[in-house]
PDB file of all heavy atoms in Angstrom:
ATOM      1  N   THR R  22      40.602 156.798-147.672  1.00  0.00           N
ATOM      2  CA  THR R  22      39.145 156.756-147.765  1.00  0.00           C
ATOM      3  C   THR R  22      38.581 158.135-147.413  1.00  0.00           C
ATOM      4  O   THR R  22      39.316 159.061-147.096  1.00  0.00           O
ATOM      5  CB  THR R  22      38.555 155.721-146.793  1.00  0.00           C
ATOM      6  OG1 THR R  22      38.837 156.154-145.466  1.00  0.00           O
ATOM      7  CG2 THR R  22      39.150 154.335-147.024  1.00  0.00           C
ATOM      8  N   LEU R  23      37.240 158.231-147.443  1.00  0.00           N
ATOM      9  CA  LEU R  23      36.602 159.501-147.069  1.00  0.00           C
ATOM     10  C   LEU R  23      36.520 159.645-145.554  1.00  0.00           C
ATOM     11  O   LEU R  23      36.098 160.681-145.040  1.00  0.00           O
ATOM     12  CB  LEU R  23      35.202 159.576-147.686  1.00  0.00           C
ATOM     13  CG  LEU R  23      35.196 159.750-149.212  1.00  0.00           C
ATOM     14  CD1 LEU R  23      33.817 159.483-149.777  1.00  0.00           C
ATOM     15  CD2 LEU R  23      35.684 161.157-149.582  1.00  0.00           C
ATOM     16  N   ASP R  24      36.936 158.598-144.844  1.00  0.00           N
ATOM     17  CA  ASP R  24      36.874 158.585-143.390  1.00  0.00           C
ATOM     18  C   ASP R  24      38.126 159.285-142.841  1.00  0.00           C
ATOM     19  O   ASP R  24      39.132 158.647-142.549  1.00  0.00           O
ATOM     20  CB  ASP R  24      36.818 157.108-142.950  1.00  0.00           C
ATOM     21  CG  ASP R  24      36.516 156.969-141.483  1.00  0.00           C
ATOM     22  OD1 ASP R  24      36.087 157.958-140.867  1.00  0.00           O
ATOM     23  OD2 ASP R  24      36.722 155.859-140.957  1.00  0.00           O
ATOM     24  N   ASN R  25      38.036 160.609-142.752  1.00  0.00           N
ATOM     25  CA  ASN R  25      39.188 161.426-142.358  1.00  0.00           C
ATOM     26  C   ASN R  25      39.146 161.699-140.853  1.00  0.00           C
ATOM     27  O   ASN R  25      38.218 162.319-140.356  1.00  0.00           O
ATOM     28  CB  ASN R  25      39.133 162.733-143.165  1.00  0.00           C
ATOM     29  CG  ASN R  25      40.236 163.717-142.820  1.00  0.00           C
ATOM     30  OD1 ASN R  25      41.027 163.501-141.893  1.00  0.00           O
ATOM     31  ND2 ASN R  25      40.282 164.812-143.568  1.00  0.00           N
ATOM     32  N   HIS R  26      40.181 161.232-140.122  1.00  0.00           N
ATOM     33  CA  HIS R  26      40.208 161.388-138.662  1.00  0.00           C
ATOM     34  C   HIS R  26      40.847 162.703-138.220  1.00  0.00           C
ATOM     35  O   HIS R  26      41.007 162.945-137.032  1.00  0.00           O
ATOM     36  CB  HIS R  26      40.971 160.216-138.034  1.00  0.00           C
ATOM     37  CG  HIS R  26      40.381 158.882-138.342  1.00  0.00           C
ATOM     38  ND1 HIS R  26      39.272 158.400-137.693  1.00  0.00           N
ATOM     39  CD2 HIS R  26      40.722 157.955-139.262  1.00  0.00           C
ATOM     40  CE1 HIS R  26      38.958 157.206-138.184  1.00  0.00           C
ATOM     41  NE2 HIS R  26      39.821 156.921-139.138  1.00  0.00           N
ATOM     42  N   ASN R  27      41.247 163.519-139.187  1.00  0.00           N
ATOM     43  CA  ASN R  27      41.966 164.755-138.841  1.00  0.00           C
ATOM     44  C   ASN R  27      41.414 165.952-139.601  1.00  0.00           C
ATOM     45  O   ASN R  27      42.173 166.781-140.125  1.00  0.00           O
ATOM     46  CB  ASN R  27      43.464 164.563-139.129  1.00  0.00           C
ATOM     47  CG  ASN R  27      44.104 163.607-138.144  1.00  0.00           C
ATOM     48  OD1 ASN R  27      44.372 163.983-137.002  1.00  0.00           O
ATOM     49  ND2 ASN R  27      44.321 162.375-138.567  1.00  0.00           N
ATOM     50  N   VAL R  28      40.076 166.051-139.629  1.00  0.00           N
ATOM     51  CA  VAL R  28      39.414 167.074-140.445  1.00  0.00           C
ATOM     52  C   VAL R  28      39.876 168.495-140.097  1.00  0.00           C
ATOM     53  O   VAL R  28      40.131 169.310-140.990  1.00  0.00           O
ATOM     54  CB  VAL R  28      37.877 166.974-140.318  1.00  0.00           C
ATOM     55  CG1 VAL R  28      37.199 168.058-141.131  1.00  0.00           C
ATOM     56  CG2 VAL R  28      37.404 165.607-140.779  1.00  0.00           C
ATOM     57  N   THR R  29      40.000 168.799-138.819  1.00  0.00           N
ATOM     58  CA  THR R  29      40.401 170.153-138.434  1.00  0.00           C
ATOM     59  C   THR R  29      41.765 170.497-139.026  1.00  0.00           C
ATOM     60  O   THR R  29      41.956 171.577-139.604  1.00  0.00           O
ATOM     61  CB  THR R  29      40.456 170.297-136.891  1.00  0.00           C
ATOM     62  OG1 THR R  29      39.223 169.815-136.365  1.00  0.00           O
ATOM     63  CG2 THR R  29      40.668 171.737-136.481  1.00  0.00           C
ATOM     64  N   LEU R  30      42.700 169.563-138.896  1.00  0.00           N
ATOM     65  CA  LEU R  30      44.047 169.816-139.427  1.00  0.00           C
ATOM     66  C   LEU R  30      44.048 169.877-140.951  1.00  0.00           C
ATOM     67  O   LEU R  30      44.672 170.770-141.543  1.00  0.00           O
ATOM     68  CB  LEU R  30      45.007 168.706-138.956  1.00  0.00           C
ATOM     69  CG  LEU R  30      45.270 168.632-137.442  1.00  0.00           C
ATOM     70  CD1 LEU R  30      46.142 167.426-137.114  1.00  0.00           C
ATOM     71  CD2 LEU R  30      45.935 169.925-136.960  1.00  0.00           C
ATOM     72  N   THR R  31      43.342 168.953-141.598  1.00  0.00           N
ATOM     73  CA  THR R  31      43.382 168.934-143.066  1.00  0.00           C
ATOM     74  C   THR R  31      42.620 170.125-143.648  1.00  0.00           C
ATOM     75  O   THR R  31      43.012 170.657-144.682  1.00  0.00           O
ATOM     76  CB  THR R  31      42.855 167.605-143.650  1.00  0.00           C
ATOM     77  OG1 THR R  31      41.494 167.414-143.256  1.00  0.00           O
ATOM     78  CG2 THR R  31      43.688 166.433-143.173  1.00  0.00           C
ATOM     79  N   ASP R  32      41.550 170.568-142.987  1.00  0.00           N
ATOM     80  CA  ASP R  32      40.855 171.779-143.442  1.00  0.00           C
ATOM     81  C   ASP R  32      41.788 172.988-143.381  1.00  0.00           C
ATOM     82  O   ASP R  32      41.819 173.816-144.293  1.00  0.00           O
ATOM     83  CB  ASP R  32      39.611 172.062-142.580  1.00  0.00           C
ATOM     84  CG  ASP R  32      38.422 171.209-142.994  1.00  0.00           C
ATOM     85  OD1 ASP R  32      38.529 170.475-143.999  1.00  0.00           O
ATOM     86  OD2 ASP R  32      37.378 171.269-142.310  1.00  0.00           O
ATOM     87  N   ALA R  33      42.543 173.089-142.295  1.00  0.00           N
ATOM     88  CA  ALA R  33      43.464 174.219-142.129  1.00  0.00           C
ATOM     89  C   ALA R  33      44.533 174.211-143.227  1.00  0.00           C
ATOM     90  O   ALA R  33      44.785 175.234-143.877  1.00  0.00           O
ATOM     91  CB  ALA R  33      44.114 174.168-140.747  1.00  0.00           C
ATOM     92  N   LEU R  34      45.146 173.043-143.441  1.00  0.00           N
ATOM     93  CA  LEU R  34      46.195 172.957-144.464  1.00  0.00           C
ATOM     94  C   LEU R  34      45.621 173.156-145.866  1.00  0.00           C
ATOM     95  O   LEU R  34      46.259 173.765-146.730  1.00  0.00           O
ATOM     96  CB  LEU R  34      46.920 171.605-144.360  1.00  0.00           C
ATOM     97  CG  LEU R  34      47.742 171.411-143.081  1.00  0.00           C
ATOM     98  CD1 LEU R  34      48.191 169.960-142.931  1.00  0.00           C
ATOM     99  CD2 LEU R  34      48.961 172.346-143.062  1.00  0.00           C
ATOM    100  N   SER R  35      44.390 172.668-146.079  1.00  0.00           N
ATOM    101  CA  SER R  35      43.761 172.846-147.399  1.00  0.00           C
ATOM    102  C   SER R  35      43.463 174.312-147.679  1.00  0.00           C
ATOM    103  O   SER R  35      43.555 174.773-148.822  1.00  0.00           O
ATOM    104  CB  SER R  35      42.474 172.031-147.496  1.00  0.00           C
ATOM    105  OG  SER R  35      42.755 170.660-147.306  1.00  0.00           O
TER     106      SER R  35
END
Side-chain angles (χ1 to χ4, degrees):
T22 65
L23 290 166
D24 190 14
N25 177 355
H26 301 282
N27 289 283
V28 178
T29 309
L30 295 175
T31 61
D32 280 355
L34 293 169
S35 300

